[in-house]
Amino acid sequence: MGLVESGKTPKSLQTLLNMSRKYSLWVYQWGLACCALEMGAAFASPRYDVMRLGVIPLPASPRQADMVVVSGTVTDKMAPAIRRLYEQMPDPKYVISMGSCANCGGPYWDSYSVTKGVDQIIPVDVYVPGCPPRPEALLEGIVMLQERIQNEDMQERWVGEPIVVGS
Amino acid sequence: MSDFLRSYLVVAIFGGVGVALVGAFLGIASLLRPSKPSEQKLMTYESGVNPTGDMWAQANIRYYVFALLFVLFDVEAIFIFPWASRLEALGVFGLVEMAIFVFILLLGLVYAWRKGMLKWV
Amino acid sequence: MTTQIPDLSEQEQLRYISQQAADARVNVEIETEGMTLNLGPQHPATHGTLRIIAKLDGEQVVAAEPVMGYMHRGYEKLAEVRTYPQVTTLVNRIDWVGSFANETPFILAAEKLMEVEAPPRAQYIRTILHEMSRIANVILGIGDMGVQVGAVTPIFFAFRDREYVLNQIEAVTGGRFHPNFDRIGGLKDDLPAGWIQNTKNAMEKVRDFCDQIEELMYGNEIFQARTRGIGIIPKDVGLAYGLSGVNIRGSGVDWDVRRDNMSPGLVYDQVDWKVWTHPDGDSYSRMWVRLQEVREGTKIVDQLLDQIPSGPIMAKVPRIIKVPAGEAYVETENPLGVMGYYVVSKGDLNPYRVKIRSASFNNVSITPWLLKGVYVPDIITILGSLYFILGDIDR
Amino acid sequence: MSDETAVDTVDEADVVAETDEVREATLASLTDEVGDGIVESHIRPNDDIWVRVSRDAWVDTGMALKSMGFGYFSFLSAIDWMPSPFGRDMDSQVDLTLNPPEDEDDDVVMETGVAGGDTRFQVFARVNDIVNNRAITLKADLPDDDLSIATWIPVYSGANWHEREAAEMFGIDFVGHPNLRNLYLPGAFEGNPMRKDFALLSRRIKPWPGIVDVEPMPGEDEEGEDA
Amino acid sequence: MISILSVEIPYWGQTTFRVLGGLAAVLLPAGALVYIYLFKLMSFVQSRLGPMEAGPAGSLQLLAEVGKAFQKEDIFPRKADKLVFAAAPFVVLMSTFLLILVVPFGPDAWFVNLDTGIFFALAVSSVSVIGILMAGWASASKYSLLGGLRAAGQLIAYELPLVLAVMGVVIQAGTLNMQEIVYAQAEGEIFGISGIGNPFIITQFIGFAIFLIAMQAELTQPPFDMPVAESELVSGYMTEYSGIRFLLFFIGEFATAGVFSMIASVLFLGGWWVPGLDPDSNLFNILGPAVLFGKVMLVTFLIFWFRFTYPRFREDQLQKLAWKVLIPLSLVNIVATGILKVVF
Amino acid sequence: MGLVPGMIKGLGVTAKSAIETIFPDGPLKPPSPSKGAVTIQYPHEKEAPAPRARGVIALQEDNCTACMLCARECPDWCIYIEGHKEKAPPRRAGGKPRQKNKLDRFDIDFALCMYCGICVEVCPFDALFWSPEYEFSEPRIADLLHDKSRLAEWMETVPDFESYESGSEAKVRKVPR
């Protein structure tokens, strides 16, 4: 049914489509913990202004989002919700794990209620280190993600889960 | 076909254009987009938790009084249109007539207001 | 002020509710089955991951219950297995918007147990940073309130001018958010050259922001219509729920730990400032007091910057910190309200038990009471005006 | 009424006497109200006051305090005085490998803090009088076999969530609490994390990186560093 | 008046021409609004830059948006009423296309010259609310449902002021035909002073203000964006829509903003005509659309200016505003206009 | 309703802000928003973080004696050190050969690190330094574990210590190069 899954998309069209995905990453207004504020600074602070890169923080609902920044501590109570919200985003979707807590538990690595890393629940495309990463570090992560999108094979992405956890 | 009908044919055509545009968009998209439905993806969104209760719960529509008022007033307003476009011809007589009509309308509004209908119950 | 707090009967509560929902009354004639609406854990209005389960009748809330724990990280337990310096850096992350203020009461409690006192220069710098973190925090709260009532621009202004404050905090502590700068007996480092002047400039920017936001938001009649008379917290109810900070001062209670119960180690008594209160107790008055508090904060910082004494920044403290056995409770007036640490020590490297009395936990505990009978949009403004940080609730 | 049972030896400043009076007076009037309910008390001059009441007098003391002007509810929580069976968790690797605990019995010697009793769990709460700027920390011991205490909600409505938190973290039952469900943790969570015998698994599983020491070269004995 | 289009080109040709023109008239302003105002001007207000990377100064951002939307998965929630869910975007966009019909772009450049033009426009404009209601109800999401209900509640508040505000113009022009309203403004005079004609904004400023407010509400722009109130209802009636269907709503929102501003500029600002030029000159067939576009940008600037500045009303406050202020005011305006019309 | 003043003022605030952004040089000069806005356009230009900023930890390998102090004090247990002892050439000619701890492995897991700076503070030998660099995102989490050569590379980005504000009694330290 889909033109892309069959692998019949011409190369030039694919480049074009990759480019449009690259420059239109609607990101979900959803913060978890401290990093949410630095994410907020990247999104809403005029100094960083993530909209420049085509990352548009308008949607509040996962249905319209292309990307989610997991910004902060993932607790065991929150984990099912994160999984569900990730599932509810339409494909193709991208995940940036921001900060030590989301990467692997961070300061709460020994806590009884914290999930040690969001990549146990959902696949992650880019890990941004920091506690919290400064907004420009998140921007670096976004630029890195955009490069990946530019070079990615749509067919592969469409058909399977393209990013193997921890690969 | 008369000019009158023709002009309404254009209306129909434009309605069709709107539909066709949406159809074309959806058609192109269906060629390009992936489709990977899953149980949770098709679940209704409710802030990340499992939706509780029935989605089509009975809702108490608090503005039904407004709705009634609105219907009344809207019908009255339609009567003003022919008068408005012919005021020049009708002159002072039409003006007085309509002033009375509008006054009655206002009276109705004031009545509703005094009765407390314009409160969001 | 009444010191006697009456038990609120159902009747009295209903009276308050009817006051709150200005001309709203739960309609008894047309009974419909209620709808249960979840706001959160992912919802743009809940500052993160609070979840509010609201039983609705149309758009009116019949009952609302907050569900927390989506950000519970087990601070009190983790503090038991960490040494004092490690706890200091951990507690930064409780109220992540005004981090330095989280360190202060803990350090002061530990200092109280160890019976050391920081040198005057350290006390001044501490107070300055405490106040700057208040400014950074409250500015954001004001901008966020703009988002909650649907105005897009205030939050951008808030983030813009907050950056100037954060820059100064970063210049001295090395962290935009989590300074980890307070030490038992003093501070980690001294001020870098030129910092005082830059901070004064930043305070100027903050004052400009206050004027700007006052015209843009507070003066706006729609904003007033949305917040005036909404979410009224009567004085006595607020006290019984343990509300603190701006939320209680917005109800006309003239109580500020900075002035009334000042703990040694902070030098608020050296400067000339005023505690603002507002008698109404509604959402608007809380936000109004917040704005005044930012202005007052810039004044405090300016005055303190002029008075910083010279001298060392660290008292004589052993390199490996073992706090003598004992119990101490220290509370300070933090951006979100009164924050206190009840530290129990047994003479070890790590505290035996740390009870964190965080402001937002108490502040939010009033919501089931407060959200009865209001409209869905009012949930948002009330939560916005209570201004909590999830980390401060869940810890 | 044993006060000044100096747990810590505070050398008192000269100004103490005056403010001490305030706290002494507070204690005295509380004693008038509650009477036998007060088990023990401690005043740290110029600073704070601790009062331990019997479990049965918990609510009455609250009422009395409230009528005395302590209308502001600060917090309520609990302490587990039993030392952790795992040693200091942070250095557990050191404890277990290098310095194995010599005697099992040594570990369970329980010391309680200020105005403490001799049972394992203690509920404590703090209320303020914001007019006169007084505050008081109230404590009550729970018998080991019956972890329950009456709820404070009728006295201070704000106690609701604090009691839920304490119930969840320590497994204490607050009799009369309308809604003693989990506040923080997911429903399936087992255990009471704030009890000292609740192990933090990550800490026990992960090897402590500080334990790995520099290996000496073969055939050499320890010698000082002269860098 | 005979359209030059109808004389020289056969009917199907004209129709194609009109369809293309209609597409351009709907989509171009929509794109311009989103890029210039929503992305760029809003950013400048907040002292930032807005999209910069996609194309020079971010000018290709919109293409990227559309290209991306094509590739997004299309989700039908399981519990949704699939037919209605799918039909809602059609209804919304169709109403926009019906609305553009009556707008004249020049003395001979129009799609259809209905005698009841403004009446038709007012009637059709409320169709989009039906689309919104459909979307809200069919999504089977509580936020959507509340959003849809709010949209319906909003309709009953602003529709009447909208209709009554237009009435003053109709009285002054003495016609319902949009083209003739333009001519009435071009050839009119204000209290005997002729020369610059009579853009009705001068005599009908109350009507214009009420029309603007009601239009803001019709377009669900802040301060009247309760149906999509982001901080309360996530995305309101659009909550469950993803990918291309969401894009269609998005286009619909801004296209309607453009078309409504066209109607406002025809009614109050003189449409395609500029003072000082002869309205019958053929020049206007070329210049007209540009002039109209300029006026549209002016009106939409106001819309977006309010959008950046104001917080959101509460639903009951809108009702109060509409019923206690706008409706009495507009009724008074009608009577006053009538009196002045008869006297002068 | 008294709606006019406050709402008009608000419009003024937004308009003023927009004009200041678009026309930073005054209204008659050509518009140049990128000058008027406070935005720093990240991939093209970068802001300079404060010299004290805690971005990433750099290791001066020569100074490290593998004393394990940092690894022990780390709240996150994210520093992994291995070492062995070896003979170093004597400092003075003819002296006794010194014994020295040689570092085999010094890894910091930046995915786990909480950037508190305790390790830098407790290091008695000036081997660890903060660098304000922040650009080290990775698509693979394993790459966030920086080994000692990677940590040593950060050393180049470590800024000199700033001088102190007047009235300070602290001494300015030096970064070993």
Side-chain angles (χ1 to χ4, degrees):
Chain A
M1 47 179 247
L3 194 63
V4 176
E5 279 111 317
S6 62
K8 285 187 204 136
T9 8
K11 198 82 191 155
S12 52
L13 179 64
Q14 221 182 79
T15 316
L16 214 61
L17 290 174
N18 278 350
M19 228 152 130
S20 64
R21 278 210 311 290
K22 171 183 173 186
Y23 284 121
S24 167
L25 283 169
W26 285 43
V27 64
Y28 201 177
Q29 297 176 5
W30 175 29
L32 291 173
C34 331
C35 294
L37 261 294
E38 288 294 52
M39 182 183 79
F43 288 176
S45 171
R47 190 187 304 180
Y48 303 106
D49 186 23
V50 83
M51 224 191 226
R52 279 182 306 108
L53 303 167
V55 178
I56 296 182
L58 290 184
S61 148
R63 303 291 192 192
Q64 290 117 40
D66 310 311
M67 175 172 101
V68 59
V69 178
V70 182
S71 55
T73 321
V74 180
T75 59
D76 288 345
K77 192 170 180 178
M78 193 68 193
I82 288 178
R83 174 77 205 175
R84 186 170 300 124
L85 288 166
Y86 171 77
E87 287 275 353
Q88 287 185 343
M89 286 162 64
D91 280 290
K93 49 196 170 187
Y94 305 91
V95 181
I96 288 182
S97 162
M98 181 186 186
S100 293
C101 298
N103 288 349
C104 57
Y108 318 105
W109 63 276
D110 51 349
S111 170
Y112 51 86
S113 60
V114 173
T115 309
K116 316 299 182 279
V118 73
D119 50 12
Q120 297 180 6
I121 321 169
I122 57 178
V124 174
D125 294 67
V126 171
Y127 296 87
V128 180
C131 191
R134 47 192 309 125
E136 291 208 329
L138 176 62
L139 295 192
E140 195 224 347
I142 288 171
V143 171
M144 186 177 273
L145 178 68
Q146 286 185 332
E147 271 162 30
R148 295 194 76 180
I149 295 173
Q150 180 67 69
N151 299 323
E152 95 187 337
D153 184 352
M154 284 168 73
Q155 193 189 354
E156 215 172 284
R157 179 114 208 166
W158 267 221
V159 172
E161 200 78 276
I163 287 164
V164 184
V165 177
S167 71
Chain B
M1 219 187 296
S2 71
D3 265 1
F4 179 76
L5 276 182
R6 260 198 183 180
S7 58
Y8 279 97
L9 184 63
V10 178
V11 173
I13 289 171
F14 264 67
V17 169
V19 173
L21 185 76
V22 177
F25 269 45
L26 287 172
I28 299 172
S30 73
L31 287 177
L32 294 173
R33 68 186 170 218
S35 173
K36 284 195 276 183
S38 74
E39 185 57 39
Q40 298 215 323
K41 191 180 271 179
L42 299 182
M43 193 185 273
T44 308
Y45 165 80
E46 197 170 321
S47 291
V49 293
N50 273 328
T52 47
D54 188 16
M55 297 307 140
W56 288 298
Q58 275 184 333
N60 191 350
I61 304 196
R62 305 206 165 267
Y63 47 80
Y64 68 100
V65 185
F66 287 93
L68 288 177
L69 269 181
F70 167 71
V71 171
L72 285 175
F73 272 72
D74 217 20
V75 170
E76 306 303 324
I78 290 170
F79 290 133
I80 310 183
F81 266 105
W83 165 81
S85 54
R86 279 281 157 267
L87 181 59
E88 224 148 350
L90 296 172
V92 179
F93 169 73
L95 182 68
V96 173
E97 279 289 280
M98 197 39 69
I100 294 169
F101 183 76
V102 170
F103 178 71
I104 293 172
L105 267 185
L106 269 175
L107 215 60
L109 186 64
V110 170
Y111 177 75
W113 195 333
R114 294 283 299 172
K115 285 291 258 185
M117 300 290 243
L118 298 189
K119 260 188 186 171
W120 184 270
V121 272
Chain C
M1 180 191 302
T2 50
T3 48
Q4 199 77 12
I5 295 173
D7 286 332
L8 285 172
S9 66
E10 198 70 6
Q11 233 79 47
E12 281 168 308
Q13 189 163 347
L14 273 175
R15 192 162 49 85
Y16 284 124
I17 293 162
S18 58
Q19 275 173 8
Q20 277 163 26
D23 40 6
R25 213 144 281 117
V26 176
N27 198 334
V28 282
E29 289 140 42
I30 312 151
E31 284 280 323
T32 50
E33 35 174 311
M35 181 203 268
T36 310
L37 187 71
N38 274 300
L39 299 175
Q42 181 272 322
H43 191 277
T46 50
H47 306 249
T49 58
L50 185 68
R51 174 177 169 201
I52 293 199
I53 304 175
K55 283 211 164 41
L56 299 187
D57 177 30
E59 284 237 0
Q60 203 166 25
V61 179
V62 177
E65 204 206 336
V67 177
M68 297 134 16
Y70 290 100
M71 203 34 64
H72 177 64
R73 295 160 292 183
Y75 263 94
E76 294 180 8
K77 183 74 177 177
L78 295 187
E80 288 174 11
V81 294
R82 277 162 166 70
T83 60
Y84 282 88
Q86 291 178 347
V87 176
T88 314
T89 176
L90 191 69
V91 295
N92 276 167
R93 290 155 175 81
I94 291 179
D95 159 18
W96 49 65
V97 192
S99 293
F100 185 83
N102 296 323
E103 297 175 4
T104 336
F106 178 74
I107 290 291
L108 291 177
E111 282 181 358
K112 195 186 242 182
L113 285 172
M114 287 184 76
E115 290 161 34
V116 291
E117 194 166 297
R121 186 177 172 86
Q123 293 191 9
Y124 270 81
I125 298 173
R126 227 180 234 178
T127 316
I128 290 169
L129 287 172
H130 193 90
E131 215 47 37
M132 280 173 77
S133 64
R134 178 190 319 281
I135 292 166
N137 181 317
V138 176
I139 280 183
L140 196 71
I142 291 170
D144 182 72
M145 185 66 179
V147 174
Q148 306 303 341
V149 295
V152 277
T153 306
I155 187 80
F156 288 90
F157 285 171
F159 266 114
R160 180 190 66 198
D161 292 324
R162 186 168 173 270
E163 288 292 331
Y164 299 113
V165 180
L166 287 186
N167 274 359
Q168 290 315 106
I169 293 179
E170 184 181 27
V172 62
T173 67
R176 281 164 55 89
F177 268 32
H178 301 320
N180 187 22
F181 195 63
D182 234 339
R183 295 288 179 271
I184 293 171
L187 294 170
K188 177 182 161 192
D189 208 345
D190 212 320
L191 303 176
W195 191 80
I196 291 180
Q197 192 48 48
N198 291 343
T199 309
K200 281 188 176 164
N201 296 344
M203 290 302 120
E204 209 54 53
K205 299 257 192 204
V206 172
R207 276 193 285 271
D208 287 348
F209 164 81
C210 289
D211 297 342
Q212 206 175 19
I213 208 79
E214 194 163 37
E215 279 193 2
L216 178 64
M217 207 166 96
Y218 286 75
N220 190 303
E221 280 80 1
I222 302 175
F223 179 77
Q224 295 188 1
R226 284 297 303 280
T227 49
R228 281 240 150 115
I230 305 294
I232 294 173
I233 301 176
K235 223 185 252 187
D236 44 359
V237 179
L239 291 175
Y241 274 97
L243 261 59
S244 56
V246 174
N247 294 324
I248 198 79
R249 285 198 285 280
S251 298
V253 178
D254 190 12
W255 179 52
D256 193 321
V257 173
R258 284 179 288 175
R259 180 195 63 196
D260 298 335
N261 200 7
M262 202 195 56
S263 36
L266 296 175
V267 287
Y268 284 107
D269 52 349
Q270 302 296 313
V271 282
D272 174 34
W273 61 286
K274 176 173 163 33
V275 177
W276 289 90
T277 58
H278 195 290
D280 287 359
D282 56 10
S283 300
Y284 182 82
S285 65
R286 288 192 282 277
M287 294 317 290
W288 184 85
V289 173
R290 271 202 180 97
L291 186 71
Q292 305 312 321
E293 202 132 282
V294 176
R295 289 207 168 115
E296 215 58 48
T298 60
K299 271 189 223 160
I300 295 175
V301 171
D302 271 355
Q303 293 178 48
L304 286 174
L305 284 172
D306 289 334
Q307 299 175 16
I308 296 183
S310 51
I313 47 156
M314 198 70 188
K316 285 260 174 287
V317 178
R319 193 178 170 87
I320 292 168
I321 290 165
K322 283 198 176 183
V323 174
E327 293 177 31
Y329 177 78
V330 171
E331 58 187 13
T332 55
E333 183 76 21
N334 271 26
L336 299 168
V338 172
M339 181 175 208
Y341 289 83
Y342 191 92
V343 180
V344 180
S345 175
K346 280 193 171 178
D348 279 333
L349 283 171
N350 39 3
Y352 184 78
R353 165 103 172 89
V354 179
K355 163 66 192 171
I356 303 168
R357 188 258 189 233
S358 58
S360 296
F361 184 71
N362 279 26
N363 288 350
V364 169
S365 70
I366 200 173
T367 45
W369 186 88
L370 199 56
L371 290 181
K372 264 184 202 160
V374 301
Y375 293 123
V376 172
D378 292 338
I379 301 181
I380 315 301
T381 49
I382 290 172
L383 288 181
S385 74
L386 283 176
Y387 188 46
F388 49 86
I389 296 294
L390 249 293
D392 206 34
I393 301 176
D394 287 352
R395 300 186 299 267
Chain D
M1 297 330 102
S2 69
D3 34 326
E4 299 284 75
T5 44
V7 169
D8 45 356
T9 48
V10 186
D11 46 359
E12 282 133 50
D14 298 334
V15 277
V16 163
E18 176 223 359
T19 36
D20 231 353
E21 258 167 44
V22 177
R23 291 189 164 79
E24 296 281 5
T26 308
L27 184 60
S29 55
L30 184 65
T31 315
D32 288 345
E33 297 262 359
V34 190
D36 291 345
I38 294 181
V39 182
E40 198 179 344
S41 67
H42 174 75
I43 292 176
R44 187 186 294 157
N46 214 358
D47 181 26
D48 220 337
I49 172 167
W50 284 265
V51 174
R52 181 154 68 90
V53 298
S54 68
R55 182 167 65 141
D56 302 328
W58 183 243
V59 176
D60 291 341
T61 318
M63 292 283 190
L65 281 172
K66 202 164 148 186
S67 64
M68 283 164 58
F70 289 88
Y72 183 83
F73 174 76
S74 189
F75 68 81
L76 182 149
S77 191
I79 308 182
D80 179 2
W81 285 114
M82 190 189 80
S84 169
F86 309 110
R88 279 190 293 112
D89 246 293
M90 191 199 73
D91 298 336
S92 58
Q93 297 295 331
V94 183
D95 288 349
L96 296 177
T97 53
L98 291 184
N99 323 312
E102 303 98 37
D103 206 351
E104 285 297 315
D105 295 336
D106 273 359
D107 267 356
V108 286
V109 168
M110 207 161 64
E111 284 171 46
T112 52
V114 179
D118 47 7
T119 56
R120 182 174 164 192
F121 289 99
Q122 191 174 49
V123 172
F124 69 114
R126 190 178 167 90
V127 288
N128 291 42
D129 171 4
I130 62 172
V131 181
N132 304 318
N133 291 315
R134 298 178 293 174
I136 183 165
T137 307
L138 222 57
K139 291 186 167 187
D141 278 347
L142 304 184
D144 289 340
D145 52 348
D146 178 22
L147 296 180
S148 69
I149 192 166
T151 174
W152 248 20
I153 295 178
V155 194
Y156 298 99
S157 357
N160 188 331
W161 285 14
H162 290 262
E163 288 179 356
R164 271 173 75 183
E165 186 192 356
E168 175 182 20
M169 292 294 164
F170 293 92
I172 296 169
D173 183 23
F174 287 86
V175 178
H177 192 290
N179 186 16
L180 214 54
R181 289 182 295 119
N182 270 8
L183 185 67
Y184 289 138
L185 297 167
F189 193 89
E190 282 174 16
N192 303 103
M194 282 301 290
R195 289 193 180 185
K196 285 283 179 183
D197 51 6
F198 182 91
L200 291 175
L201 280 179
S202 306
R203 280 190 106 83
R204 305 206 59 79
I205 292 166
K206 187 173 176 178
W208 187 46
I211 192 66
V212 192
D213 216 341
V214 178
E215 296 159 25
M217 281 176 77
E220 296 237 357
D221 47 21
E222 283 290 315
E223 205 179 303
E225 178 98 20
D226 66 343
Chain E
M1 190 172 21
I2 304 158
S3 166
I4 45 164
L5 305 175
S6 62
V7 178
E8 290 160 9
I9 316 169
Y11 185 75
W12 60 266
Q14 282 179 43
T15 311
T16 321
F17 200 72
R18 279 182 184 147
V19 165
L20 290 176
L23 281 174
V26 168
L27 296 180
L28 283 184
L33 292 185
V34 174
Y35 176 66
I36 295 177
Y37 288 144
L38 188 69
F39 285 163
K40 280 302 191 181
L41 186 67
M42 184 162 100
S43 305
F44 294 153
V45 163
Q46 294 148 358
S47 42
R48 58 200 179 96
L49 290 172
M52 290 296 282
E53 298 292 311
S59 47
L60 300 180
Q61 180 69 37
L62 288 176
L63 290 182
E65 302 291 355
V66 175
K68 184 233 21 198
F70 277 133
Q71 302 168 60
K72 291 298 276 185
E73 193 180 358
D74 193 24
I75 296 176
F76 277 66
R78 176 159 296 129
K79 287 195 179 155
D81 187 330
K82 306 238 168 22
L83 188 68
V84 182
F85 188 82
F90 286 88
V91 175
V92 170
L93 220 61
M94 196 178 79
S95 88
T96 314
F97 273 93
L98 292 179
L99 210 52
I100 192 97
L101 266 181
V102 291
V103 179
F105 291 88
D108 300 311
W110 33 259
F111 298 119
V112 59
N113 196 6
L114 293 176
D115 283 336
T116 51
I118 184 62
F119 195 71
F120 175 83
L122 289 173
V124 166
S125 69
S126 8
V127 171
S128 68
V129 176
I130 296 179
I132 290 174
L133 252 178
M134 283 163 70
W137 183 81
S139 297
S141 160
K142 287 163 193 166
Y143 307 112
S144 301
L145 184 64
L146 282 178
L149 289 177
R150 282 183 181 194
Q154 206 154 316
L155 171 83
I156 61 177
Y158 65 74
E159 186 73 5
L160 214 47
L162 194 72
V163 170
L164 294 176
V166 171
M167 212 68 81
V169 172
V170 175
I171 293 172
Q172 277 210 299
T175 175
L176 295 172
N177 186 311
M178 300 279 275
Q179 188 71 293
E180 281 170 30
I181 288 175
V182 176
Y183 276 102
Q185 294 182 63
E187 289 156 4
E189 50 187 30
I190 310 161
F191 305 126
I193 305 157
S194 64
I196 62 154
N198 178 15
F200 287 148
I201 186 172
I202 297 171
T203 45
Q204 286 294 326
F205 59 91
I206 297 179
F208 182 64
I210 295 173
F211 191 86
L212 262 190
I213 295 173
M215 187 166 98
Q216 196 90 358
E218 155 92 38
L219 299 171
T220 62
Q221 296 286 354
F224 304 110
D225 62 339
M226 291 77 99
V228 286
E230 189 184 271
S231 57
E232 297 152 26
L233 300 182
V234 188
S235 305
Y237 60 89
M238 296 186 285
T239 304
E240 291 292 337
Y241 282 87
S242 67
I244 195 77
R245 283 177 211 276
F246 172 74
L247 184 79
L248 290 168
F249 274 118
F250 197 74
I251 293 176
E253 182 184 343
F254 289 95
T256 317
V259 176
F260 248 91
S261 314
M262 284 179 198
I263 292 173
S265 27
V266 167
L267 291 180
F268 294 99
L269 303 177
W272 43 263
W273 161 79
V274 273
L277 289 178
D278 176 21
D280 283 327
S281 89
N282 218 352
L283 182 69
F284 270 121
N285 282 325
I286 313 297
L287 197 63
V291 170
L292 189 66
F293 183 71
K295 288 177 178 174
V296 164
M297 292 314 270
L298 216 65
V299 175
T300 42
F301 173 71
L302 289 178
I303 295 177
F304 280 88
W305 195 9
F306 298 148
R307 181 187 173 126
F308 309 144
T309 309
Y310 291 147
R312 181 185 306 129
F313 271 110
R314 214 170 52 196
E315 198 74 357
D316 58 325
Q317 287 164 346
L318 168 66
Q319 302 283 358
K320 221 193 265 176
L321 177 72
W323 288 92
K324 294 188 179 169
V325 180
L326 297 183
I327 290 176
L329 204 62
S330 50
L331 284 175
V332 170
N333 183 41
I334 289 172
V335 174
T337 313
I339 292 171
L340 287 173
K341 173 86 179 177
V342 171
V343 172
F344 289 96
Chain F
M1 264 178 105
L3 276 178
V4 184
M7 294 176 71
I8 300 285
K9 266 191 203 164
L11 288 177
V13 171
T14 43
K16 191 162 160 253
S17 168
I19 289 169
E20 277 170 4
T21 310
I22 303 173
F23 303 103
D25 303 319
L28 297 176
K29 302 278 165 45
S32 59
S34 46
K35 192 173 158 200
V38 295
T39 311
I40 295 166
Q41 300 194 44
Y42 164 70
H44 312 297
E45 49 183 359
K46 286 164 191 176
E47 73 169 338
R52 285 186 188 180
R54 299 202 296 264
V56 67
I57 297 168
L59 171 71
Q60 178 75 18
E61 206 189 323
D62 304 343
N63 285 2
C64 181
T65 61
C67 68
M68 307 299 293
L69 215 53
C70 48
R72 279 175 203 197
E73 289 297 320
C74 177
D76 281 0
W77 297 4
C78 71
I79 304 178
Y80 308 96
I81 303 176
E82 277 166 26
H84 65 269
K85 295 199 172 175
E86 64 175 27
K87 288 269 197 289
R91 191 168 287 153
R92 294 180 306 275
K96 214 172 108 207
R98 291 176 302 144
Q99 192 175 45
K100 204 180 157 192
N101 286 345
K102 176 76 179 153
L103 202 59
D104 293 328
R105 175 185 180 211
F106 193 105
D107 293 352
I108 298 182
D109 186 355
F110 282 110
L112 188 56
C113 175
M114 68 189 278
Y115 301 82
C116 59
I118 288 180
C119 50
V120 178
E121 224 175 314
V122 297
C123 180
F125 304 109
D126 277 356
L128 292 172
F129 292 92
W130 277 113
S131 156
E133 280 301 309
Y134 49 83
E135 292 171 290
F136 52 110
S137 300
E138 297 286 353
R140 284 162 28 119
I141 195 165
D143 294 341
L144 284 176
L145 184 84
H146 289 194
D147 60 6
K148 64 177 180 180
S149 61
R150 183 99 195 262
L151 290 172
E153 279 169 28
W154 292 120
M155 212 45 218
E156 289 165 23
T157 61
V158 175
D160 286 323
F161 283 100
E162 296 163 289
S163 54
Y164 287 110
E165 188 70 87
S166 59
S168 162
E169 292 180 358
K171 266 192 236 122
V172 180
R173 290 192 300 145
K174 268 196 127 67
V175 178
R177 299 282 179 187

